Amino acid sequence: MGGTVSANHDGANLLEVRGLTKIFGTLTACNHIDLNIARGEIHALLGENGAGKSTLVKMLFGSLEPNAGEIFWDGMPVKITSPGVAKKLGIGMVFQHFSLFEALTAAENIALSLNDGSPISTIAAKARALSFSYGLPLDPESLVGDLSVGERQRIEIIRCLLQTPQLIILDEPTSVLTPQEADKLFETLERLRSEGKSILYISHRLEEVKRICDHATVLRHGKVVGHCNPRQETAASLARMMVGSEVKAVVRAPAEGIDTAPALLEIRGLTRKPATPFAIPLKNINLAVRAGEVIGIAGVAGNGQGEFFESVSGEVLQQDAGSVRIRGKDAGGLSITGRRLMGAAFVPEERLGHGAAPRMKLSENLLLSRHATDGKAFVGSGGMVKNGAVYSAAQRIITAMDVRKSAPDPEAAALSGGNLQKFIVGRELDRKPSVMVVNQPTWGVDAGAAAHIRQALIELARSGSAVLVISQDLDELFELSDAIAVMHNGELSTPLPIAEATFEKVGLLMGGAEPGHAEHSLEVA
Amino acid sequence: MRIELIKRPQRSALFSVLSPFIAFVLTMIAGAVLFALLGVNPFSAFEIYFVEPVSQVWQLHELAIKAAPLILIAVGLSVCYRANIWNIGAEGQFIFGAIFGSIIPVLFPGFEGPLVLPLMLLLAMFGGALYASIPALLKTRFSTNEILTSLMLVYVAQLFLDWMVRGPWRDPQSHGFPQTIQFGDSAVLPELMPDAGRANWGFVFALVAAVLVWLMMSRMLKGFEVRVLGSSPRAGRFAGFGFSRMVFFAFLLSGALAGLAGISEVSGAIGQLQPVISPGYGFTAIIVAFLGRLNPLGIVAAGLVLALTYLGGEAVQSALGISDKVARVFQGMLLFFVLGCDTLIHYRIRLVGLALTKPNGAADLEAAPKLEEAR
């Protein structure tokens, strides 16, 4: 039976997907997707957020069941009904968000997923051998909690390789790496390709796709809009294919007179003990953000950015009231509401569940961060909410930020990530805050929306506000910032003026080259 | 073959409203089967259970008497549960409200006048709130689990009441009966329509509380705070709402309402304190809160339905000789079907049969690994 079927198909392809379709309610997430992956190629899957990349990959890895379509593995029609089946076929996956137990060692984590009963020591030995042969140095005995994000990703990759897959799916693998770590990863991928393994590489970073991928399949709104050879395309032409129209470049007007402008946000010797065993302590952080400028904070995820954001926003209070100052006044002892009333605004990293309540309407989510600052406009006598005023303000933000939605006032969870982020950023911009602190402004946001958000942040700064942007996306920081500081292991480097900053320099700092605190403390004093 | 629950992208507004009624019909059908198995004609049994107890005006008054404490308590609990705070101890707060509210009529029986009743009500709300503040304090200070502490305090309250009416507060003329003196006239909650039936102002309190709490939850910033902190605590912290403050607010509010229910029952329906003053209103109110879908107006309807199951249980016991435990069975079935209907509003059931979804000639779950092994 298998023979006759495979005769109908080109045997050179390891994986062929024909007309794969997935429908969620009224949304067609994947619409008749065709995809061929040859043996020994790195195949890019390109697309904006919400284009259907994750849905497609989940169907290939057996976490979602397609509504229609066929998958051929090695010429054989197969049904991938669970990740277990995918693994048995020879499909391995490295997820964007790792699934590792921090309290266990690398080897123990690997053993858990292999689940074949072999002793830890055997697994550790195998992992060690594999890690050396692929140039992915890793100590299997180390606790995951002590490892950097790049090292954790190596565990995931080695865990995947130990199952000797023919096809490896990597979901946005460089989003958590320094440029230098990414280079290392590319070497490993090229090595795997030379061994005849196939790689499906999901990314929205066009330069790296051009650099390492042999073929690309571009998705837009759940449909394949093109197959191409990325090496023959320009980053601009790939972006056009992904977005469907020209992406407006962000314009950063030169900042003038910043040196003499007052510092609206000052962090002085901010120190915080770790709240949980795996949290990062903050060590003597100093920073001043002046009126009119955008300062970027780069760093690999998990180096204290989350802890820093909580401390600055006032979700966690400081013992020393002077360690956070807003518009020249001590704010360290004030709650987030108190800091907002001083003119500060905050956008956290997590959209659903932190920046917005998922099951609440957009208008209610507007009230979430502005019930105190706009108390007069939104809350009437006796604590009654003025629903009409809140609703019309929400509609104003929706129009200003071009938020696309299916209902006049939908629940936050019903919006795509990009559109919800536009609303959350717009909610704060609408107040014209004099200090704006944003963590990951465009994480998982499509190119068009990202450009919109970045432009809006620059314009806010140029109109006289202080803007602090924490991001893992270096491209973004170079586009936005007037100066870039790097956070590594709870310490913050001196900001590098954008004219002096290069990927190389920032990358080294992200890897922990030198925090440069001595210089900085002089500057502040 | 397996059964999957798949989240619906959109919830039907129509069926959200219909859900409790569908559940009620299903309960009726299941109840009919139950009666038939017991050898009773289901139709006549239903008549005795659900129709006869409310066929005369005085019986409607009895219904209101039973429903009032259930509604009052459940309205307060709904605020707790919306905030994701699990106050299971309303029965104890009910009892403490009754004890505090009885201070004036028991210790100062000579004090009479129009001020007595309002003072009693205020004291009762204070007592219920005070008793509810214990689990709130323990939770915010020591992170204790409020389910355990509030529940265990119920038994403390029950035994405390028992000791009070046998000891310090016992009526010296009671011939040894464990009870306080009868409340004076100005300490008795007046009946609404004395000519028609016994229903007292407690039912009005319940309706007013339901409307006020509904207003708060749907229109006021405080209600918004409750809903945000209950549904996504981290977003609540981002909004600047304090969780500890919310724990106290929810416990104090629900404690005060339970206390009000307690004094209304004692001063209106019973007329004195005795060792047992509640047939488990504080616990049944938990069912009422969920049957009413944590919506104060829904709770009014749910309170009436559960009050009817109590009355119906008594009716079938006297008329048909069936145990009044059948009331518990009906309450349980109702809760079961409402939760079931609610689940099906949010999810749909899909039967995944491997044989059904297999396209022609495709290898299925079992075959795929075998192909791999054969190579």
Side-chain angles (χ1 to χ4, degrees):
Chain A
M1 174 198 89
T4 53
V5 176
S6 71
N8 298 334
H9 292 277
D10 184 358
N13 284 332
L14 178 66
L15 180 82
E16 289 188 28
V17 170
R18 293 274 168 274
L20 210 59
T21 300
K22 180 73 194 176
I23 300 168
F24 296 110
T26 54
L27 176 83
T28 307
C30 283
N31 193 349
H32 291 92
I33 305 280
D34 292 339
L35 174 72
N36 294 329
I37 300 176
R39 286 185 183 282
E41 75 162 350
I42 303 182
H43 193 112
L45 188 59
L46 277 173
E48 294 196 282
N49 254 70
K53 290 174 303 190
S54 309
T55 308
L56 174 59
V57 165
K58 280 183 187 156
M59 289 192 285
L60 295 180
F61 197 60
S63 336
L64 278 179
E65 200 169 344
N67 294 91
E70 293 169 292
I71 300 172
F72 297 91
W73 177 257
D74 224 359
M76 299 278 205
V78 288
K79 279 190 74 70
I80 304 171
T81 49
S82 74
V85 174
K87 281 183 194 163
K88 277 192 178 153
L89 284 175
I91 300 175
M93 175 133 186
V94 177
F95 289 94
Q96 186 178 3
H97 300 286
F98 309 146
S99 44
L100 298 170
F101 293 98
E102 296 196 321
L104 299 182
T105 66
E108 285 165 343
N109 268 289
I110 294 171
L112 273 175
S113 71
L114 290 181
N115 198 21
D116 62 355
S118 39
I120 301 275
S121 56
T122 320
I123 289 168
K126 274 193 203 166
R128 199 185 304 271
L130 209 59
S131 74
F132 277 110
S133 70
Y134 282 99
L136 296 166
L138 173 74
D139 177 8
E141 314 294 341
S142 50
L143 277 180
V144 170
D146 299 334
L147 297 180
S148 75
V149 181
E151 288 168 314
R152 290 181 199 202
Q153 187 181 52
R154 282 181 211 151
I155 302 177
E156 291 268 355
I157 293 175
I158 286 165
R159 170 154 96 175
C160 176
L161 291 177
L162 273 173
Q163 291 160 353
T164 59
Q166 295 303 304
L167 172 68
I168 300 158
I169 303 172
L170 293 159
D171 190 3
E172 302 269 359
T174 54
S175 62
V176 293
L177 302 181
T178 67
Q180 286 82 357
E181 284 176 319
D183 285 341
K184 267 258 163 67
L185 175 69
F186 297 154
E187 284 171 27
T188 308
L189 297 184
E190 277 161 9
R191 169 94 197 266
L192 286 165
R193 167 169 62 189
S194 69
E195 290 174 1
K197 303 221 190 272
S198 306
I199 291 162
L200 182 60
Y201 189 90
I202 301 164
S203 183
H204 64 271
R205 289 187 176 174
L206 304 170
E207 290 300 336
E208 55 185 53
V209 167
K210 271 172 64 60
R211 185 171 145 195
I212 63 162
C213 296
D214 306 296
H215 283 98
T217 297
V218 186
L219 296 184
R220 188 167 74 223
H221 302 318
K223 285 186 188 155
V224 174
V225 291
H227 297 281
C228 64
N229 179 344
R231 295 203 176 95
Q232 292 165 0
E233 302 284 335
T234 63
S237 68
L238 287 173
R240 208 160 38 235
M241 246 193 266
M242 265 167 61
V243 182
S245 60
E246 291 289 341
V247 177
K248 266 196 290 179
V250 172
V251 185
R252 189 158 52 86
E256 282 163 12
I258 282 179
D259 295 341
T260 56
L264 297 182
L265 174 67
E266 290 166 278
I267 317 290
R268 291 183 180 172
L270 174 65
T271 298
R272 184 178 163 197
K273 292 201 181 82
T276 65
F278 297 111
I280 305 291
L282 299 178
K283 297 164 200 159
N284 189 29
I285 290 178
N286 292 289
L287 184 72
V289 190
R290 297 175 185 281
E293 73 175 344
V294 181
I295 292 207
I297 294 186
V300 174
N303 269 289
Q305 293 97 324
E307 288 83 354
F308 177 68
F309 179 84
E310 280 185 338
S311 305
V312 175
S313 71
E315 286 170 279
V316 174
L317 304 186
Q318 283 76 51
Q319 304 243 306
D320 173 11
S323 61
V324 175
R325 291 167 61 83
I326 294 170
R327 292 167 77 192
K329 292 204 182 76
D330 288 355
L334 293 176
S335 70
I336 186 165
T337 302
R339 294 182 198 195
R340 281 190 181 121
L341 288 170
M342 292 174 84
F346 309 97
V347 176
E349 174 179 2
E350 249 345 275
R351 287 184 278 268
L352 288 175
H354 192 179
R359 283 282 164 216
M360 291 199 163
K361 293 177 197 160
L362 287 186
S363 58
E364 292 175 299
N365 272 300
L366 171 64
L367 201 59
L368 187 78
S369 76
R370 292 184 45 183
H371 60 89
T373 53
D374 298 67
K376 282 207 183 93
F378 294 157
V379 185
S381 55
M384 302 292 274
V385 174
K386 293 181 183 167
N387 283 325
V390 177
Y391 181 83
S392 56
Q395 295 303 319
R396 180 175 75 222
I397 291 162
I398 286 166
T399 313
M401 296 301 286
D402 186 25
V403 177
R404 314 244 171 101
K405 58 201 176 19
S406 53
D409 193 11
E411 287 180 352
L415 263 65
S416 74
N419 279 307
L420 181 57
Q421 184 71 1
K422 281 196 276 188
F423 182 80
I424 293 176
V425 172
R427 169 177 84 186
E428 308 304 331
L429 289 175
D430 185 63
R431 263 178 63 203
K432 302 195 173 50
S434 48
V435 173
M436 176 101 163
V437 182
V438 191
N439 195 0
Q440 307 295 348
T442 63
W443 184 83
V445 172
D446 58 74
H452 194 128
I453 290 172
R454 289 172 193 161
Q455 192 66 55
L457 289 173
I458 291 173
E459 276 159 21
L460 177 71
R462 293 304 181 256
S463 71
S465 302
V467 177
L468 181 62
V469 175
I470 305 168
S471 178
Q472 288 154 44
D473 184 344
L474 279 186
D475 298 308
E476 166 168 271
L477 290 176
F478 275 85
E479 220 171 281
L480 270 174
S481 316
D482 299 305
I484 296 178
V486 176
M487 184 160 263
H488 178 259
N489 201 18
E491 295 183 72
L492 191 69
S493 76
T494 318
L496 286 167
I498 196 73
E500 298 167 24
T502 61
F503 268 64
E504 174 89 50
K505 278 190 198 167
V506 173
L508 284 173
L509 288 170
M510 283 163 75
E514 50 95 46
H517 267 289
E519 254 180 278
H520 194 73
S521 50
L522 283 176
E523 191 184 88
V524 169
Chain B
M1 177 138 126
R2 66 178 189 271
I3 301 169
E4 278 185 355
L5 284 180
I6 297 178
K7 198 158 187 121
R8 294 179 195 268
Q10 227 99 48
R11 280 166 289 167
S12 158
L14 175 67
F15 277 95
S16 292
V17 174
L18 285 183
S19 156
F21 300 98
I22 298 171
F24 191 75
V25 171
L26 290 171
T27 307
M28 289 306 203
I29 295 170
V33 172
L34 182 82
F35 280 129
L37 288 176
L38 287 170
V40 182
N41 179 350
F43 293 101
S44 58
F46 276 152
E47 204 189 336
I48 295 165
Y49 199 110
F50 290 108
V51 183
E52 277 186 9
V54 287
S55 54
Q56 291 175 37
V57 174
W58 69 267
Q59 289 172 313
L60 289 175
H61 281 255
E62 293 302 311
L63 188 72
I65 287 176
K66 282 265 189 301
L70 290 176
I71 295 169
L72 261 178
I73 300 168
V75 162
L77 291 183
S78 73
V79 175
C80 286
Y81 300 160
R82 283 291 198 97
N84 223 350
I85 293 163
W86 300 97
N87 178 4
I88 308 294
E91 183 83 0
Q93 294 141 25
F94 177 96
I95 291 169
F96 255 79
I99 294 173
F100 267 69
S102 304
I103 289 175
I104 294 174
V106 173
L107 296 185
F108 309 100
F111 177 28
E112 290 193 356
L115 263 181
V116 172
L117 207 51
L119 274 176
M120 283 168 63
L121 299 179
L122 286 176
L123 272 172
M125 291 171 76
F126 174 76
L130 186 73
Y131 204 59
S133 70
I134 300 171
L137 185 72
L138 292 174
K139 181 176 175 65
T140 50
R141 281 294 294 276
F142 305 110
S143 299
T144 53
N145 183 325
E146 75 275 20
I147 298 177
L148 292 177
T149 51
S150 63
L151 177 63
M152 290 191 294
L153 283 167
V154 170
Y155 308 116
V156 175
Q158 285 171 340
L159 294 172
F160 183 75
L161 172 65
D162 192 77
W163 172 73
M164 287 292 276
V165 295
R166 287 173 201 279
W169 280 13
R170 196 179 69 194
D171 177 7
Q173 270 105 54
S174 71
H175 307 291
F177 281 106
Q179 60 195 33
T180 62
I181 54 169
Q182 283 283 337
F183 289 4
D185 284 345
S186 56
V188 169
L189 206 56
E191 291 173 355
L192 286 170
M193 290 173 272
D195 299 336
R198 296 200 306 136
N200 58 45
W201 277 84
F203 191 66
V204 176
F205 297 157
L207 295 183
V208 170
V211 170
L212 289 181
V213 170
W214 175 79
L215 259 182
M216 180 190 81
M217 290 302 289
S218 59
R219 296 275 187 280
M220 289 172 65
L221 190 62
K222 196 72 196 173
F224 178 70
E225 188 178 334
V226 172
R227 289 183 286 133
V228 171
L229 280 170
S231 63
S232 26
R234 194 140 180 245
R237 200 175 57 164
F238 180 70
F241 299 143
F243 187 69
S244 296
R245 257 190 349 215
M246 179 52 61
V247 171
F248 272 100
F249 174 78
F251 263 106
L252 294 183
L253 177 71
S254 59
L257 288 177
L260 181 62
I263 195 61
S264 302
E265 181 73 7
V266 169
S267 139
I270 303 174
Q272 67 192 147
L273 276 182
Q274 53 195 38
V276 174
I277 55 172
S278 158
Y281 287 135
F283 295 113
T284 309
I286 297 170
I287 302 179
V288 172
F290 281 100
L291 277 183
R293 333 206 43 214
L294 303 185
N295 176 329
L297 303 184
I299 284 170
V300 172
L304 289 170
V305 170
L306 273 161
L308 179 57
T309 61
Y310 274 127
L311 295 180
E314 290 165 13
V316 288
Q317 183 173 36
S318 59
L320 300 173
I322 296 174
S323 161
D324 69 348
K325 293 283 187 294
V326 78
R328 293 290 179 87
V329 175
F330 269 93
Q331 291 172 4
M333 286 196 299
L334 204 49
L335 186 65
F336 172 82
F337 283 120
V338 162
L339 294 180
C341 288
D342 280 358
T343 305
L344 290 178
I345 286 172
H346 291 279
Y347 298 88
R348 63 194 167 83
I349 290 179
R350 194 176 65 162
L351 296 176
V352 185
L354 295 169
L356 292 176
T357 54
K358 185 167 69 178
N360 293 338
D364 64 12
L365 174 67
E366 280 82 20
K370 282 178 199 145
L371 284 174
E372 181 74 2
E373 283 157 19
R375 252 181 256 129

